[in-house]
């Protein structure tokens, strides 16, 4: 059944790729993967263990010797050709993603474009990892600053963006001259396996990009603990990010942590109402709200509050929930039962804390993973959905009076990934740029992701930047060389 919709069957892999071959787990154990829209079992992937992870690290270490010593242009051409193959196989990759992750097919197609853009971008950036010549402090020495690839990298990625979170990390790492072991989420491994199949078609050597499927305890912990793995890049929750940081202290590993957010979406009295609502829909409901940079809390000023609620609820009521293969659907299923229960808990808690349910609020239909787009007004700052990352299609709206109060409420969170603000006053824009505590700020714009920009957070949303000219530096180390005897 699954195969019918995929043109190139060879992209649908049910084995992992490591140590030079497609393999099953030595234990014979597998993990079943289900379609969240239908509950249908799509297939299974190996549940690899510690021994296979050690093998992959050894392979990666050997491959690093050759890969890191190749001219940047040679690496660039291979990464570029990987990107081209992603575009060529866009439809199959998008179908695989919708099958295992559930997002609408149009969003999956956009994610494939987004994912391949990181490979294209870093194929170029890899040619520009310049060092420096520094004027010396002494007559008899010359000083150089060199950039070297850090070595074997472990990249740990989530289920919400099954392709782009991998290429955003792997593109930068490979272009810098590092080798990569990718551990995708066990909920969405097929997109990662299709990527490695295309990497091979592009001519990327076997040990340079490997994908290990299985549970985090068996794979991620080995990568984190191992002395030969020099860097871990993780996208996921703040809770797991903290434990990775703690665990990494034993080997003082380089880390990039792209962790959870709690994005405020500020709408000031002078905002363009229609633009604000359009941005709110895009930002909140992309990927059914399962995005780290999703608007989490709508903070709306008194004077525009009623109008915003009116137009926002009109727009939310037009969203269509259902199977991502239905062309009219704008919101797919949530990833699992735990996510549904979390949404139910947020709604109940918000209403107990004085919130008013305007739309949605429940799973529809029963026994599925679809949660209806939900709008709650008069939400209080005590509500869990105000304080925590929702990661689902619930839009809580909070009312504030003054500009200062808006800024205070926006910053009243330990998270600092993305924030959004709508105003037509340039002075306010400048002040917000300085005072909003986030790594990313969208002003009069709800869609802020692309390969050219530095993506990443501050505060408990982690550190490190992905994409842009900064992204490659996460995979490079600086060496200062002093040459004496002149
Ligand atoms: C994320 O949710 O972490 C990724 C979202 C994006 O890149 O836009």
């Amino acid at each position: 059944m699954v195969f019918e919709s995929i043109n190139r069957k060879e992209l649908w892999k049910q084995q992992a790729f490591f140590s030079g071959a497609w393999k099953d787990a030595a234990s014979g154990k597998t993990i079943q993967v289900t379609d969240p829209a239908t509950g249908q079992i799509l297939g299974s992937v190996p549940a690899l263990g510690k021994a296979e992870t050690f093998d992959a690290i050894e392979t990666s270490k050997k491959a690093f010797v050759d890969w890191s010593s190749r001219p940047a242009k040679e690496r660039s051409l291979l990464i570029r050709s990987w990107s081209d193959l992603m575009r060529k196989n866009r439809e199959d990759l998008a179908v695989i993603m919708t099958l295992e992750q559930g997002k609408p097919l149009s969003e999956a197609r956009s994610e494939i474009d987004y994912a391949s853009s990181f490979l294209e971008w870093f194929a170029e950036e890899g040619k520009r990892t310049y060092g420096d010549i520094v004027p010396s402090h002494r007559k008899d020495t010359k000083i150089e600053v060199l950039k070297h690839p850090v070595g074997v990298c472990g990249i740990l990625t989530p289920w919400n963006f099954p392709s782009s979170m991998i290429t955003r990390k792997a593109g930068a790492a490979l272009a810098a001259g590092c080798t990569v072991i990718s551990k995708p989420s066990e909920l969405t491994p097929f997109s990662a396996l299709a990527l490695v199949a295309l990497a091979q078609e592009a001519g990327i050597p076997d040990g340079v990009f490997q994908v290990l499927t299985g549970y985090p305890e068996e794979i991620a912990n080995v990568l984190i603990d191992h002395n030969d793995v020099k860097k871990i890049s993780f996208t996921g929750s703040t809770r797991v990010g903290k434990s990775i940081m703690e665990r990494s202290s034993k080997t003082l590993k380089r880390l990039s942590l792209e962790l959870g957010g709690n994005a405020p979406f500020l709408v000031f009295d002078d905002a363009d109402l229609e633009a604000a609502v359009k941005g709110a829909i895009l930002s909140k409901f992309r990927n059914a709200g399962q995005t780290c940079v999703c608007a989490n809390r709508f903070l709306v000023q008194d004077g525009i509050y009623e109008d915003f609620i009116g137009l926002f609820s009109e727009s939310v009521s037009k969203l269509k929930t259902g199977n991502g293969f239905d062309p009219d659907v704008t919101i797919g299923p949530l990833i699992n039962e735990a996510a549904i229960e979390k949404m139910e808990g947020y709604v109940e808690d918000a209403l107990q804390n004085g919130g008013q349910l305007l739309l949605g609020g429940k799973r529809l239909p029963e026994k599925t993973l679809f949660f209806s787009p939900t709008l709650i007004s008069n939400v209080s700052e005590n509500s869990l959905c105000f304080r925590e990352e929702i990661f689902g299609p619930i839009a809580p709206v909070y009312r504030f009076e003054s500009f200062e109060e808006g800024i205070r409420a926006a910053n009243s969170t330990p998270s600092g990934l993305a924030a959004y603000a709508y105003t037509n006053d340039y002075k306010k824009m400048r002040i917000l740029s300085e005072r909003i505590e986030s790594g990313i700020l969208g002003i009069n714009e709800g869609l802020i992701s692309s390969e050219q920009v530095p993506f990443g957070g501050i505060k408990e949303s982690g550190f490190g930047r992905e994409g842009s000219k900064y992204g490659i530096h996460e995979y490079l180390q600086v060496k200062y060389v002093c040459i004496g005897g002149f």
Side-chain angles (χ1 to χ4, degrees):
M1 270 257 302
V2 167
F3 285 99
E4 280 163 24
S5 44
I6 299 169
N7 290 314
R8 291 191 60 206
K9 312 295 181 217
E10 61 274 27
L11 293 181
W12 182 257
K13 297 283 187 196
Q14 301 202 55
Q15 289 181 305
F17 183 81
F18 62 101
S19 303
W22 292 96
K23 299 187 195 194
D24 295 318
S27 64
K29 287 186 190 153
T30 57
I31 300 175
Q32 282 188 338
V33 181
T34 51
D35 175 348
T38 60
Q40 185 201 353
I41 293 168
L42 297 171
S44 64
V45 293
L48 299 174
K50 295 189 171 73
E52 289 101 333
T53 309
F54 283 120
D55 279 356
I57 295 171
E58 199 47 41
T59 305
S60 197
K61 198 177 152 192
K62 286 192 187 128
F64 178 72
V65 177
D66 166 57
W67 184 248
S68 59
S69 64
R70 294 193 189 199
K73 181 159 180 176
E74 200 177 315
R75 292 196 296 259
S76 168
L77 289 171
L78 293 172
I79 299 167
R80 174 66 205 228
S81 128
W82 189 15
S83 166
D84 293 343
L85 282 169
M86 281 192 75
R87 267 189 284 267
K88 214 166 143 195
N89 291 280
R90 179 185 192 238
E91 198 57 21
D92 279 346
L93 295 175
V95 166
I96 292 172
M97 189 182 299
T98 295
L99 279 170
E100 66 178 352
Q101 201 275 343
K103 64 180 65 179
L105 191 57
S106 59
E107 282 193 35
R109 290 185 187 118
S110 302
E111 187 183 336
I112 297 307
D113 296 341
Y114 183 46
S116 65
S117 77
F118 288 110
L119 298 179
E120 181 193 61
W121 175 265
F122 285 115
E124 291 305 315
E125 286 299 295
K127 292 185 270 183
R128 300 186 189 105
T129 57
Y130 307 129
D132 301 297
I133 303 279
V134 176
S136 178
H137 55 300
R138 280 182 16 203
K139 264 189 175 167
D140 60 344
T141 61
K142 302 286 177 206
I143 295 176
E144 292 171 357
V145 178
L146 309 176
K147 306 269 177 68
H148 288 305
V150 299
V152 174
C153 300
I155 66 172
L156 313 175
T157 53
W159 49 264
N160 59 339
F161 287 86
S163 289
S164 55
M165 294 305 98
I166 295 177
T167 56
R168 188 154 78 180
K169 297 176 194 301
L174 299 192
C178 298
T179 51
V180 168
I181 301 172
S182 161
K183 154 75 182 81
S185 164
E186 57 279 17
L187 301 173
T188 54
F190 292 124
S191 294
L193 294 171
L195 280 184
V196 72
L198 292 177
Q200 284 170 10
E201 252 178 80
I204 293 186
D206 282 357
V208 168
F209 180 68
Q210 306 178 85
V211 174
L212 300 181
T213 54
Y215 296 110
E217 315 81 62
E218 293 294 307
I219 299 170
N221 286 351
V222 174
L223 294 173
I224 296 166
D225 291 344
H226 205 293
N227 263 313
D228 289 334
V229 177
K230 301 299 181 195
K231 156 108 195 178
I232 294 286
S233 179
F234 168 73
T235 295
S237 72
T238 296
R239 183 185 60 78
V240 175
K242 285 181 179 176
S243 76
I244 289 177
M245 189 161 174
E246 200 178 335
R247 200 169 177 121
S248 297
S249 68
K250 286 185 218 124
T251 52
L252 276 186
K253 223 173 269 327
R254 283 273 297 268
L255 291 176
S256 298
L257 299 176
E258 199 266 272
L259 309 178
N262 180 353
F265 189 106
L266 287 151
V267 185
F268 292 100
D269 282 349
D270 60 15
D272 174 335
L273 181 65
E274 280 183 17
V277 169
K278 192 169 162 231
I281 294 285
L282 275 174
S283 170
K284 176 71 245 183
F285 294 103
R286 180 164 75 112
N287 201 15
Q290 303 172 112
T291 304
C292 301
V293 289
C294 265
N296 204 60
R297 304 165 282 151
F298 291 87
L299 315 177
V300 185
Q301 202 168 5
D302 223 18
I304 198 168
Y305 186 87
E306 297 301 342
D307 289 343
F308 179 83
I309 290 281
L311 197 58
F312 193 29
S313 77
E314 208 181 299
S315 300
V316 174
S317 63
K318 288 184 190 144
L319 297 171
K320 187 174 171 211
T321 306
N323 191 313
F325 286 107
D326 173 343
D328 296 333
V329 158
T330 43
I331 308 228
L334 299 190
I335 193 69
N336 56 22
E337 183 61 27
I340 293 278
E341 284 166 16
K342 196 171 155 218
M343 294 311 116
E344 289 170 344
Y346 282 140
V347 172
E348 196 185 325
D349 171 82
L351 302 189
Q352 272 168 13
N353 277 290
Q356 256 182 289
L357 184 65
L358 301 182
L359 288 171
K362 51 176 184 284
R363 174 200 323 247
L364 266 182
E366 299 257 310
K367 297 198 176 110
T368 65
L369 296 181
F370 299 107
F371 197 84
S372 50
T374 298
L375 182 59
I376 308 175
S377 65
N378 291 328
V379 163
S380 86
E381 286 192 61
N382 295 331
S383 307
L384 288 176
C385 63
F386 191 94
R387 293 189 276 123
E388 295 180 3
E389 183 176 39
I390 299 169
F391 233 63
I394 299 178
V397 191
Y398 168 87
R399 187 179 198 132
F400 68 88
E401 282 176 12
S402 68
F403 182 63
E404 275 305 315
E405 199 201 335
I407 294 182
R408 182 206 55 77
N411 288 339
S412 67
T413 165
S415 304
L417 183 56
Y420 305 86
Y422 278 73
T423 172
N424 277 325
D425 179 340
Y426 182 67
K427 261 199 198 155
K428 283 189 191 143
M429 294 180 199
R430 294 292 303 136
I431 295 169
L432 292 165
S433 306
E434 279 161 26
R435 292 191 43 207
I436 291 294
E437 297 167 2
S438 63
I440 302 166
L441 175 61
I443 297 182
N444 297 332
E445 181 53 59
L447 256 191
I448 39 68
S449 304
S450 84
E451 77 276 21
Q452 294 95 340
V453 301
F455 189 104
I458 59 171
K459 295 164 77 175
E460 292 198 8
S461 292
F463 45 79
R465 290 295 176 268
E466 299 193 317
S468 79
K469 67 174 182 177
Y470 302 103
I472 199 160
H473 294 284
E474 302 288 321
Y475 298 91
L476 290 168
Q477 52 203 2
V478 171
K479 184 187 280 170
Y480 143 57
V481 181
C482 180
I483 311 175
F486 282 88

